[in-house]
Amino acid sequence: MERTLALKTVKKVGETVTLCGWVHARRNMGKIVFLDMRDRSGIVQVVIVSKELDSVSHGALPEIRTEFVLQIEGIVNMRKKANDALPTGSVEILATKITILNTSKTPPFEIENEDRQANEELRLKYRYLDLRHTRMARNMRLRHTLVKEVRDFLCAQDFIEIETSLLTKGTPEGAREYIIPSRIYPGTFYVLPQSPQQFKQLLMVAGFERYFQIAKCFRDEDQRGDRQPEFTQIDVEMSFVEQEDVMNLMEAMMIKTIQKVSPEKKILATPFPRLTYQAAMERYGTDRPDLRVNKDDPHELAFCWVVDFPFFEKTEEGGWMFTHNPFSAPQPAYKEQLLTKENIGGIIAAQYDMVCNGYEVGGGGIRNHTPEALRAVFEIMGLSSDIINERFGHILEALEYGTPPHGGIALGLDRLVAILANEPNIREVIAFPKTGDARDPLMGAPSSMPQKALDDVHIKLKN
Ligand code: ASP
C-alpha cells in the first residue's frame, strides 16, 4: 500500500489514494456521510456515498464513530465550494473502500473542538488524547523545531552535545533536590541534578571548550505558580570567554532560531537592551521587566538582559547567601574583595539573566575558575572547611588542574516554547507534564512502593 498523507492530497486531484488516520468528525447528511480524516499532517474531508462503496465497506459504515482508525481508498476530487479554513480545503476524497483498522471508545472529551476544553486533571489523565488536539500537536512540533534549530546553530558554532549524569550528588544551586536511595550502599543516596552545572564546568576542565545539552533538570520545590518538578534547559558552557561573548552568542542564537521557527514574531529591539539589576529595580520594580510596547500584540517579543546582580544577599539568620549561583565569578573589579571577603554585600557578580516579555528565560555567568575564588564563596556562606571539602572537594580539586576561564548559561526551553506558542503556561508545551501540585494523573505518580522494593533500598517508612 502506498499511503498518502492528508496534506498531500491537494497535489493528487484525479488520482486514487489510500489514507490512514483517525476519524476527526462525522457528519451524516441523509444519503451522504462526511468524515474529516486526521493524520499527522492535518485533516482532509472524505465523502461517502453508499453506491460507490464495496459491500464490506458498506457494512462497516454504520459502525464508524469519531476516533476510529481507518484506512480509506478513494479518488481525490476538487470541491465545488472550497473551505478556505483548511489547508486541504480545495479537495475531498470520494471513498471507494473503507477498512476499520481499530475502533475507539468515546473519548472523555471532544478532540475536534479546540475551544471547549476539559479541565486539566482530565486532560492530563488522558494526555495521549489531549495531544491529539491540533493545538497541542502544533505545540509539540514547535518545540521539536526550536530544539532542532538550536542544535543546528550551536553545532555550526563548533559546540558539541554531551550528556551528563542524572544519578549524581547534591549541588548547592538553591533548590531542594530529589533523592534516589542506593540499593548497593545502604543509607546512601543519589540526587537528581537541579542542573548540569558542575558537569559542564568539569567538561571545560576536560578541554571541550564548547558544550551544550538539552538537559533535563529536577527541582523538588513547593509548587509556585507555573513550575514543574522536572523541566528542560538549553544548557551551554564555553571556555576563554567573557560575559559579553556569552551574551552576544546567545542573543544571536535567539534571533536566528526565532526567525526560523516563528517568523510571525517581532523582536522589538536588537541588540537586546541591557539593564543593570539596580536600574531594573528602580525603573520597573522587578528584575524581569516586561518591555513590550503593546501587550495585546501576540507577536511582540521584548527581550532584554539584566546584568550586574549583587553576588550575595543577607539571610534571615544574618549570614550570606548567593543570589544566583555559587559558581559565578565576581566581576573582575570585585575579584580582590571576594578573596579578602570585604564589602560582601557590594560585590557584583558576572551574572546575566535573559528576560523576555516579563519572564526570566535564562541565566548564566562567568565562573570562578580558580579554587581560591570558589572556596571564598563557600566560606562567605559560612560553610566550614570540612563541609566544603566533603561536598565540593571534587570540583575544587578539578580547578587545580589547568582550568580555563569559562562561563555559560542555561535557557528555559519550556518557557521559550510557551512564549512562542502564546501559551499561558509551560504545561501546554510539555508532552507529559505534572499537575500544578506535582502529580502525574496518567501514570499515577508519585505512588507507593511494595514493601519488598522499600526493603531492597533500606527504607523504613515513618507512620
Ligand atoms: N546552572 C544555572 C541554572 O540552572 C545556569 C547557569 O549558570 O548556566 O540556573
Side-chain angles (χ1 to χ4, degrees):
M1 172 203 47
E2 198 198 318
R3 178 187 171 200
T4 300
L5 289 174
L7 196 61
K8 295 279 158 75
T9 54
V10 286
K11 296 251 163 64
K12 301 214 165 186
V13 175
E15 292 177 40
T16 297
V17 295
T18 305
L19 297 171
C20 293
W22 289 260
V23 178
H24 193 62
R26 171 179 181 146
R27 291 180 296 281
N28 298 327
M29 313 290 255
K31 290 210 172 72
I32 303 179
V33 175
F34 290 100
L35 298 182
D36 286 343
M37 284 294 291
R38 183 185 74 237
D39 63 21
R40 68 175 193 270
S41 73
I43 290 169
V44 67
Q45 174 166 287
V46 173
V47 186
I48 302 171
V49 186
S50 285
K51 67 175 173 43
E52 305 285 340
L53 292 180
D54 63 27
S55 63
V56 180
S57 309
H58 197 266
L61 186 58
E63 282 178 53
I64 295 171
R65 288 184 279 124
T66 50
E67 300 310 314
F68 271 38
V69 188
L70 305 183
Q71 180 175 316
I72 296 183
E73 229 177 78
I75 301 153
V76 184
N77 291 326
M78 293 299 286
R79 279 207 216 183
K80 287 203 191 73
K81 213 165 136 246
N83 174 357
D84 294 334
L86 214 59
T88 60
S90 61
V91 298
E92 60 190 10
I93 319 299
L94 180 63
T96 51
K97 191 170 169 209
I98 303 174
T99 313
I100 297 179
L101 299 178
N102 210 346
T103 59
S104 170
K105 286 169 61 175
T106 303
F109 43 75
E110 292 172 57
I111 306 294
E112 90 276 21
N113 191 329
E114 294 278 335
D115 302 328
R116 226 177 311 145
Q117 290 230 335
N119 70 49
E120 194 170 43
E121 186 80 18
L122 199 62
R123 288 179 58 207
L124 291 182
K125 181 162 179 351
Y126 293 94
R127 189 58 154 185
Y128 47 91
L129 297 178
D130 189 45
L131 289 169
R132 287 184 185 174
H133 284 118
T134 307
R135 191 183 103 250
M136 294 303 287
R138 202 193 310 124
N139 288 353
M140 292 306 123
R141 283 177 189 279
L142 175 67
R143 184 182 178 111
H144 158 78
T145 317
L146 181 66
V147 168
K148 181 190 173 293
E149 291 301 332
V150 163
R151 269 204 175 94
D152 288 352
F153 179 92
L154 290 171
C155 294
Q157 299 286 330
D158 211 19
F159 282 78
I160 67 166
E161 186 169 11
I162 302 179
E163 290 160 84
T164 55
S165 173
L166 292 185
L167 292 178
T168 179
K169 188 177 168 176
T171 181
E173 280 182 78
R176 185 183 296 123
E177 291 158 322
Y178 283 96
I179 61 177
I180 312 277
S182 161
R183 179 180 57 82
I184 302 174
Y185 302 102
T188 64
F189 298 85
Y190 301 97
V191 149
L192 296 177
Q194 49 184 303
S195 92
Q197 182 66 35
Q198 294 193 54
F199 288 114
K200 66 174 171 176
Q201 292 195 238
L202 294 172
L203 290 169
M204 296 303 104
V205 183
F208 287 101
E209 294 190 31
R210 291 183 161 216
Y211 141 97
F212 81 99
Q213 177 177 202
I214 308 301
K216 269 287 167 87
C217 303
F218 306 85
R219 299 186 186 178
D220 186 6
E221 292 175 300
D222 290 331
Q223 294 304 302
R224 266 187 290 140
D226 187 20
R227 298 240 181 143
Q228 284 282 305
E230 85 184 87
F231 57 95
T232 310
Q233 286 185 345
I234 303 167
D235 198 49
V236 173
E237 198 75 7
M238 319 165 64
S239 292
F240 307 109
V241 286
E242 290 166 2
Q243 178 163 329
E244 282 294 318
D245 301 318
V246 182
M247 291 165 68
N248 288 337
L249 187 76
M250 288 298 108
E251 194 168 315
M253 181 176 88
M254 290 316 303
I255 294 168
K256 184 153 184 201
T257 54
I258 289 171
Q259 267 167 2
K260 283 206 163 166
V261 305
S262 302
E264 73 283 3
K265 298 283 173 195
K266 297 171 294 221
I267 297 178
L268 273 192
T270 57
F272 300 170
R274 284 153 161 72
L275 285 161
T276 65
Y277 169 77
Q278 202 187 345
M281 294 307 284
E282 278 167 16
R283 253 181 264 163
Y284 306 101
T286 169
D287 57 0
R288 30 188 185 80
D290 188 345
L291 301 183
R292 279 177 293 178
V293 175
N294 175 6
K295 291 189 182 140
D296 295 327
D297 180 349
H299 297 318
E300 222 175 81
L301 296 179
F303 280 95
C304 68
W305 289 102
V306 180
V307 297
D308 293 355
F309 288 90
F311 201 132
F312 298 97
E313 63 191 0
K314 270 246 176 303
T315 62
E316 277 169 23
E317 297 80 38
W320 291 104
M321 180 66 180
F322 54 85
T323 65
H324 277 77
N325 197 320
F327 300 103
S328 296
Q331 301 229 349
Y334 297 87
K335 216 168 164 180
E336 209 41 49
Q337 293 183 350
L338 179 80
L339 292 173
T340 56
K341 307 191 182 73
E342 282 163 63
N343 183 32
I344 293 173
I347 296 176
I348 301 294
Q351 167 80 37
Y352 30 89
D353 280 1
M354 187 191 278
V355 173
C356 180
N357 294 5
Y359 293 101
E360 186 194 324
V361 292
I366 298 298
R367 323 296 180 187
N368 287 308
H369 69 284
T370 63
E372 300 75 42
L374 183 56
R375 191 176 282 277
V377 175
F378 294 133
E379 283 169 357
I380 289 171
M381 285 161 57
L383 303 184
S384 71
S385 78
D386 281 353
I387 299 256
I388 295 174
N389 292 336
E390 197 237 323
R391 288 173 58 192
F392 310 112
H394 58 281
I395 188 140
L396 289 164
E397 186 181 15
L399 296 183
E400 293 183 76
Y401 286 95
T403 301
H406 62 282
I409 194 166
L411 303 176
L413 177 66
D414 310 299
R415 174 59 61 202
L416 280 171
V417 181
I419 292 173
L420 294 181
N422 289 107
E423 290 290 0
N425 75 60
I426 62 174
R427 298 189 293 282
E428 303 295 320
V429 299
I430 298 174
F432 298 101
K434 306 283 182 289
T435 54
D437 55 358
R439 286 174 303 109
D440 175 349
L442 167 57
M443 302 293 281
S447 65
S448 60
M449 293 302 264
Q451 189 57 47
K452 164 85 171 65
L454 294 178
D455 290 345
D456 280 351
V457 294
H458 323 286
I459 286 195
K460 194 167 165 209
L461 296 178
K462 284 193 192 171
N463 289 331

